[in-house]
């Protein structure tokens, strides 16, 4: 299990790759948590799951956790893993916030304005902006009422062990 909080720095990519390489020979499944956190990330973050001919590739089952806090580049990752048939997506539909943005300074230095200003990458006619990525297995995200539990993670682990 690894929670990818953001895919905006090489250190995050390295952490995912290191975890996969470390456990690739002994683990039969891997749970990748893309819920919440920051957006960002490009397909190279999941090469270890998609490029099966790589010596460091993880060839076992992949289960990905998504929710309404999964946005931007992490939606792209979820979409690619689902499209390639490489992962089972568990949780709630992603945010549908795929358009790239830019920060603008405003007169008060304590604030910035973030505006969507550039389209996301071409996904072969699939539009994630405004629609998101649908999970294969929908699990509510009622953490407030879950008595400290995580029903989506529990379901992902159950799927991983099937």
């Amino acid at each position: 299990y690894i929670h990818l909080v953001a895919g905006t720095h090489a250190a995050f990519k390295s952490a995912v790759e290191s975890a996969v390489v470390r456990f690739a020979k002994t683990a039969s499944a891997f749970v990748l948590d893309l819920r919440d956190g920051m957006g960002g990330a490009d397909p190279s973050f999941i090469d270890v799951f998609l490029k099966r001919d790589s010596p460091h590739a993880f060839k076992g089952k992949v289960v990905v956790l998504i929710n309404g806090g999964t946005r931007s580049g992490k939606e792209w990752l979820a979409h690619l893993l689902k499209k390639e048939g490489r992962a089972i997506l568990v949780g709630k539909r992603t945010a549908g916030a795929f358009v790239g943005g830019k920060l603008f300074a405003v007169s008060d230095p304590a604030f910035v304005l973030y505006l969507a200003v550039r389209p996301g990458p071409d996904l072969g006619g699939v539009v994630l902006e405004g629609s998101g990525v649908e999970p294969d297995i929908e699990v509510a995200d009622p953490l407030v009422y879950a008595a400290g539990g995580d029903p989506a993670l529990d379901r992902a682990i159950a799927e991983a062990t099937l």
Side-chain angles (χ1 to χ4, degrees):
Y1 170 88
I2 191 166
H3 185 194
L4 180 63
V5 177
T8 55
H9 193 279
F12 294 118
K13 181 180 177 191
S14 178
V16 171
E17 290 173 347
S18 295
V20 171
V21 168
R22 181 173 177 204
F23 295 106
K25 293 181 179 150
T26 58
S28 60
F30 198 91
V31 176
L32 178 63
D33 192 343
L34 298 178
R35 298 177 295 175
D36 303 318
M38 301 296 294
D42 66 69
S44 69
F45 274 74
I46 54 172
D47 281 351
V48 292
F49 300 117
L50 291 176
K51 295 187 174 184
R52 295 181 185 187
D53 57 343
S54 167
H56 299 297
F58 183 73
K59 295 171 178 57
K61 183 183 259 185
V62 179
V63 181
V64 176
L65 287 161
I66 59 173
N67 68 3
T70 305
R71 57 189 162 278
S72 186
K74 292 196 305 184
E75 286 183 279
W76 190 7
L77 302 183
H79 165 75
L80 287 172
L81 287 163
K82 183 174 184 172
K83 178 183 147 211
E84 295 297 320
R86 190 60 188 100
I88 298 167
L89 304 184
V90 175
K92 297 293 285 180
R93 178 186 294 271
T94 65
F98 192 59
V99 173
K102 182 175 179 181
L103 291 173
F104 294 91
V106 294
S107 59
D108 185 334
F111 298 96
V112 294
L113 175 64
Y114 181 81
L115 291 175
V117 296
R118 52 186 177 259
D122 178 26
L123 301 177
V126 175
V127 178
L128 296 183
E129 182 66 27
S131 62
V133 179
E134 186 72 29
D136 298 305
I137 301 169
E138 187 164 342
V139 177
D141 201 11
L143 293 180
V144 160
Y145 305 107
D150 187 339
L153 178 58
D154 294 343
R155 181 62 190 266
I157 292 169
E159 280 300 313
T161 58
L162 289 179

